[in-house]
Amino acid sequence: MLFCISALNTPAQKYVGGDISMLTKYEDAGVIYKDKDGNIVQPLTFFKEQGLNAMRVRLFVDPSLDNDKAVCQDLDYVKALGKRIKDQGMTFMLDFHYSDTWADPGKQWTPNAWKSLSNEALGTQLYEYTKDCLQQLKAASATPDFIQTGNEISYGMLWGVKGTSANRCYTNSPDANWNRFFNLLKKAGQACREECPNAKIIIHSERTPKTAVLTDYFDRMKNAGIDYDIIGLSYYPDYHGSLETLETALTTLENKNYGKDIWIVETGYSYAWHIGTDFDYSATYPLTEEGQRQFTADLVTKLNNHDSVKGLFWWWPEDNGNKSVTDSWWNAALYNHNTGQPYAAFYELKNFANGSAGIGHIHGDMMEEGAWYSIDGRRLTGKPAAKGLYIHQGKKVVIR
C-alpha cells in the first residue's frame, strides 16, 4: 500500500551521534561490540546503520602530561579516528580542548608549553597551533566538518597555570578578561576559516540552566563580533536540571534571535547510578535501562519541537566494560558493560534525525524523475519492497 503524506520540503540537515573519543582505546584493548541480538559488529559501521550520522572527537595539546587514561587524544590519535569517521561517510566534529588535560568550566588551564607566553604571544601560538592541526588533519583525509574552538568555555579559556584565578570571564569580570578571551577566540576562528572554510564553528557553553548568564555570554559574543555558526550546549540532567529547564534555555536563546543553530553537543543520562548530584531526576526517569531509554526518547521529542536545534550528541556512548582502558566507569554509557550490547536508549537517538536529516541536502529539482529515495537521501535501484518511509516524485511516501 502506498500513502502519500506530504510534499517534500527541504529542512536543514540534522546531525545525531556521539563523542566517541575513546573508541580506539577500547578496540585496541580487544573490547567486543555487539548488536541487540548479540551479533558482533564493527562499531562505526553499526553506528551508521542505526541512523547516526556524525561523531565528535576531542583533541588535547599534550595529553602525555596527564595520568588520566581517558586523556590520550593527541593529534596522531585524532587524525586516525577522524579519518575512519570520514571514511564511514559520517561528518566529523573536532573538539579543541586547548589544554593538556580536561577543559571544562572549572578547568581551563593553559598547556604547559604555552604557560609563559604573553597574551599577544599566546594568541599567535593559538592561531598557529589551530592552523597546523587542521592542515595535518586535512592531509590525513580527516578534514573536520564542525570545529569547537574550546570545550565548555563558559568562563573563558587558557586561564594560565593550574590554580590561578586570573583571566576568568564571569558576568561581573573586568573588561580586560573578556577582551583577552575574545582575542583568543578570534585567533582560533581565523585559523579555522583559513584552513577549513566549509567547516562550521561551534562556541560551547554549559550554562544551560542559567539563562541570564547564557544570554549575557552570547550577547557579548555578538557585540564583540565573534565569528561562529553554532551555539553548542551541554545538557546533563544530573547537573543541569529537568527537560523543562532545557526548554527554557532553548526558547530563551531562540527569542534572542542570534541567527545561530543550536546543538546539544554533550548529553547523557545514567542507567544505574547518578553521574552528578545537582539534580535528581530518578523519580521521573528511574536509573535503569528503561529509565535511560525513556529520558532519551523524551529528550529527542523535546528537541524535535525546536526548529533551531540541529544537533544532538551523546557523550562517551562507546564506554564498554573494560576498566583497564579507563580509571572508572562512565555510568551513562549506551553499552552494557557485561554483555557488550547496546542499551535501549541507543536506538532512540536516530529519531532525532528521522524525517529531516537525510533529505535536508536534496532539493526536488535534484531528484531523478520516477526514482525512489531512502529517507537519508540514497537513490534506490527501484521501488522498495520493504515497509517504511521513502521519497518519490518529490513527496514522502509510506509503504505498508
Side-chain angles (χ1 to χ4, degrees):
M1 176 185 294
L2 301 184
F3 180 49
C4 177
I5 58 175
S6 69
L8 175 64
N9 53 26
T10 55
Q13 174 86 20
K14 295 173 76 172
Y15 299 89
V16 61
D19 185 311
I20 58 167
S21 298
M22 288 299 293
L23 179 62
T24 304
K25 287 294 184 180
Y26 287 109
E27 292 174 321
D28 289 347
V31 171
I32 300 299
Y33 289 84
K34 302 177 181 179
D35 63 18
K36 63 183 178 181
D37 297 319
N39 302 305
I40 295 175
V41 299
Q42 196 287 323
L44 278 175
T45 300
F46 179 66
F47 295 164
K48 185 176 181 183
E49 289 173 349
Q50 301 309 311
L52 307 187
N53 60 10
M55 294 294 159
R56 177 187 191 236
V57 181
R58 57 182 171 265
L59 172 63
F60 298 103
V61 177
D62 187 0
S64 69
L65 300 176
D66 195 294
N67 293 323
D68 188 329
K69 292 178 183 177
V71 179
C72 59
Q73 293 79 17
D74 60 14
L75 185 55
D76 286 340
Y77 182 108
V78 174
K79 285 191 290 187
L81 183 52
K83 182 180 186 303
R84 290 179 59 198
I85 292 167
K86 298 285 288 192
D87 286 349
Q88 195 61 243
M90 295 178 172
T91 55
F92 170 36
M93 184 200 301
L94 176 66
D95 179 15
F96 278 111
H97 273 239
Y98 293 134
S99 180
D100 295 329
T101 186
W102 298 110
D104 60 36
K107 301 190 294 291
Q108 292 286 338
W109 312 122
T110 301
N112 185 65
W114 306 355
K115 64 185 181 182
S116 63
L117 298 177
S118 67
N119 287 340
E120 182 177 359
L122 183 62
T124 300
Q125 177 62 42
L126 182 63
Y127 167 80
E128 293 176 348
Y129 167 78
T130 303
K131 195 175 182 72
D132 177 63
C133 288
L134 296 177
Q135 288 173 342
Q136 292 196 47
L137 285 163
K138 290 194 299 181
S141 300
T143 304
D145 302 285
F146 303 97
I147 305 170
Q148 279 189 221
T149 50
N151 185 77
E152 291 189 332
I153 50 175
S154 305
Y155 302 123
M157 62 185 185
L158 296 161
W159 290 340
V161 297
K162 185 176 181 179
T164 56
S165 58
N167 301 319
R168 305 188 187 196
C169 297
Y170 303 117
T171 54
N172 59 351
S173 292
D175 288 343
N177 288 14
W178 286 97
N179 290 336
R180 176 184 181 276
F181 176 35
F182 291 149
N183 287 335
L184 292 171
L185 275 181
K186 288 177 180 178
K187 289 293 187 180
Q190 179 186 351
C192 294
R193 295 304 191 203
E194 290 175 0
E195 291 300 325
C196 296
N198 295 322
K200 302 296 184 183
I201 296 174
I202 302 169
I203 301 295
H204 180 196
S205 173
E206 48 59 73
R207 293 289 80 192
T208 307
K210 306 290 186 181
T211 54
V213 176
L214 201 59
T215 54
D216 176 81
Y217 183 81
F218 285 107
D219 283 347
R220 290 175 186 266
M221 294 283 171
K222 180 178 180 179
N223 294 336
I226 301 301
D227 179 18
Y228 73 104
D229 304 290
I230 296 166
I231 292 173
L233 298 178
S234 294
Y235 172 63
Y236 300 97
D238 280 16
Y239 296 105
H240 300 125
S242 68
L243 286 169
E244 288 69 30
T245 299
L246 174 62
E247 174 86 20
T248 297
L250 296 175
T251 301
T252 300
L253 289 170
E254 288 168 338
N255 290 340
K256 291 290 291 186
N257 294 316
Y258 292 119
K260 312 293 182 183
D261 287 341
I262 303 171
W263 286 23
I264 307 302
V265 296
E266 292 184 23
T267 194
Y269 191 76
S270 180
Y271 53 79
W273 300 279
H274 284 292
I275 59 175
T277 59
D278 294 341
F279 181 76
D280 185 352
Y281 221 175
S282 60
T284 303
Y285 301 109
L287 300 178
T288 62
E289 178 177 1
E290 174 55 23
Q292 186 192 52
R293 186 205 66 78
Q294 188 59 58
F295 164 77
T296 307
D298 289 351
L299 171 64
V300 166
T301 297
K302 182 75 70 178
L303 297 180
N304 280 338
N305 288 331
H306 289 266
D307 290 340
S308 67
V309 180
K310 301 296 195 304
L312 173 62
F313 291 75
W314 198 275
W315 196 72
W316 202 355
E318 78 281 16
D319 184 27
N320 186 7
N322 190 317
K323 200 171 182 179
S324 66
V325 176
T326 60
D327 295 318
S328 60
W329 304 126
W330 164 235
N331 296 321
L334 293 179
Y335 271 85
N336 185 306
H337 291 158
N338 297 312
T339 69
Q341 294 169 264
Y343 284 122
F346 177 91
Y347 296 97
E348 296 289 345
L349 288 176
K350 66 179 180 297
N351 295 322
F352 174 71
N354 278 353
S356 62
I359 62 174
H361 63 290
I362 299 179
H363 299 279
D365 57 4
M366 296 168 59
M367 291 185 171
E368 183 179 334
E369 180 70 16
W372 288 81
Y373 294 82
S374 66
I375 198 65
D376 64 358
R378 292 178 292 108
R379 187 183 183 282
L380 305 179
T381 57
K383 181 180 175 181
K387 297 177 181 179
L389 181 63
Y390 300 89
I391 306 300
H392 182 61
Q393 302 287 69
K395 296 180 179 180
K396 298 177 188 176
V397 176
V398 176
I399 294 183
R400 294 177 174 171

